[in-house]
C-alpha cells in the first residue's frame, strides 16, 4: 500500500477527508494527462507538479479555499479537485493555473489530492475511502512513492520557479533556497515552518541555515496572502 496521508483541515466540515499522496520519479505523466483531458471520472484528483508546491501549508491553503468555495456554491472550475489547482493561483486565469501548478508532460514529481466524504475522523467510511484511493493510485500511477510532508515537499519544491510564478523575485543576484525540484546549484538539509530543504548561499552549498528557513517562511506568508486576495476577488 502506498504511503497515503489522510487528514482533516481545521474549520472544514469533519465529514470531509483529505487524502494526499506523493509520487517521485513519475513514469506515466502522459497517460495521466490523457485521463484528465478525457474527463475520466475515475481520475478525479487534483494532480499537481510537486515543484510548484512550497510547503504542506501552501497546499492546505489551496484545499481549504477550494472546499469553502464549493460549500458556498462559488466554484469557478468544473469540479472541486480542479478548483484546488485554481486556488493555488494569484490570478483569475484558470488555464494559466493549470499550466503553472498542474500535471504537465514534463512533471517528474507529482502531488495527488483526493477529497472524500467521511462520517468523522478515523471512521470506517474514511478508512475504506483511503484504502480505495490508495489502491487505485498504486495501480494507475507509476513511480516511487514517498510520504507527503515538510521534508519531502520541501525537497521537491523549485523555489526559484515558485517565486517567479508569484512574481516574488526570489534568487535575484544571489544564491537561493532550493530542493531536489529546484534549479539552484547546491543541496543540504534543514527544517523550518515551510521547508525542509537547504539554503544555498554565494558558495553554492548550504546546510539548512536560518537564512534559508526565514526566506521560505517569508515566501509562504506572502504567497498565502496573494492566494487569499485572489480568492476574495
Amino acid at each position: 500500500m502506498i504511503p497515503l496521508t489522510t487528514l482533516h483541515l481545521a474549520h472544514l466540515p469533519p465529514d470531509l477527508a483529505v487524502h494526499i499522496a506523493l509520487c517521485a520519479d513519475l513514469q506515466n505523466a502522459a497517460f495521466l494527462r490523457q485521463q484528465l483531458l478525457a474527463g475520466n471520472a475515475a481520475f478525479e484528483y487534483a494532480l499537481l507538479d510537486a515543484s510548484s508546491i512550497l510547503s504542506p501549508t501552501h497546499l492546505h491553503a489551496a484545499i481549504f479555499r477550494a472546499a469553502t468555495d464549493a460549500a458556498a456554491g462559488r466554484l469557478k472550475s468544473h469540479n472541486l479537485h480542479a478548483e484546488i489547482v485554481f486556488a493555488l493561483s494569484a490570478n483569475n486565469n484558470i488555464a494559466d493555473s493549470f499550466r503553472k501548478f498542474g500535471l504537465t508532460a514534463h512533471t517528474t514529481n507529482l502531488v495527488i489530492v483526493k477529497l472524500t466524504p467521511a462520517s468523522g475522523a478515523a471512521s470506517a467510511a474514511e478508512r475504506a475511502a483511503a484504502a480505495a484511493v490508495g489502491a487505485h493510485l498504486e495501480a494507475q500511477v507509476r513511480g516511487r512513492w514517498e510520504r507527503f510532508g515538510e521534508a519531502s515537499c520541501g525537497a521537491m519544491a523549485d523555489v526559484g520557479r515558485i517565486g517567479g510564478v508569484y512574481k516574488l523575485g526570489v534568487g535575484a543576484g544571489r544564491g537561493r533556497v532550493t530542493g531536489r525540484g529546484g534549479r539552484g546549484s547546491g543541496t543540504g538539509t534543514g527544517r523550518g515552518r515551510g521547508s525542509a530543504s537547504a539554503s544555498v548561499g554565494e558558495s553554492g552549498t548550504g546546510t539548512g541555515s536560518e537564512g534559508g528557513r526565514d526566506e521560505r517562511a517569508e515566501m509562504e506568508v506572502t504567497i498565502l496572502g496573494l492566494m487569499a486576495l485572489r480568492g476574495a476577488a
Side-chain angles (χ1 to χ4, degrees):
M1 183 62 69
I2 70 173
L4 188 70
T5 297
T6 297
L7 53 87
H8 292 259
L9 294 180
H11 308 297
L12 287 182
D15 59 353
L16 185 66
V18 179
H19 311 283
I20 306 174
L22 176 61
C23 184
D25 302 325
L26 181 66
Q27 299 172 19
N28 63 336
F31 166 76
L32 296 174
R33 277 178 52 80
Q34 288 174 357
Q35 307 314 305
L36 291 181
L37 293 173
N40 187 339
F43 287 81
E44 190 175 316
Y45 299 97
L47 300 181
L48 304 161
D49 193 308
S51 69
S52 68
I53 305 300
L54 181 67
S55 67
T57 300
H58 183 203
L59 177 59
H60 295 168
I63 296 169
F64 180 85
R65 168 60 61 183
T68 52
D69 282 353
R74 295 195 302 260
L75 286 184
K76 295 183 179 179
S77 54
H78 60 281
N79 63 46
L80 174 57
H81 293 90
E83 195 76 9
I84 293 171
V85 184
F86 178 48
L88 286 162
S89 180
N91 63 56
N92 285 303
N93 188 322
I94 295 175
D96 185 61
S97 68
F98 276 83
R99 285 191 295 269
K100 291 177 176 176
F101 301 101
L103 170 71
T104 73
H106 305 292
T107 296
T108 55
N109 300 313
L110 182 68
V111 175
I112 306 165
V113 181
K114 179 73 171 180
L115 274 58
T116 64
S119 56
S123 66
E126 179 180 297
R127 291 193 297 271
V133 169
H136 184 252
L137 293 177
E138 190 170 28
Q140 300 295 334
V141 182
R142 298 176 188 169
R144 176 172 51 81
W145 295 99
E146 296 189 16
R147 182 157 308 270
F148 180 81
E150 291 284 355
S152 56
C153 183
M156 294 180 183
D158 183 339
V159 177
R161 177 176 179 270
I162 294 169
V165 165
Y166 289 103
K167 297 180 173 58
L168 302 182
V170 175
R174 61 183 179 84
R176 62 172 176 261
V177 186
T178 188
R180 279 184 296 173
R183 290 191 287 266
S185 59
T187 60
T189 59
R191 293 189 301 174
R193 178 169 172 266
S195 166
S197 66
S199 173
V200 182
E202 296 293 341
S203 64
T205 61
T207 57
S209 70
E210 288 295 331
R213 291 197 294 271
D214 289 348
E215 183 177 358
R216 283 224 184 195
E218 290 172 6
M219 278 189 69
E220 182 179 88
V221 170
T222 302
I223 288 169
L224 296 182
L226 291 170
M227 290 166 59
L229 288 173
R230 197 286 301 165

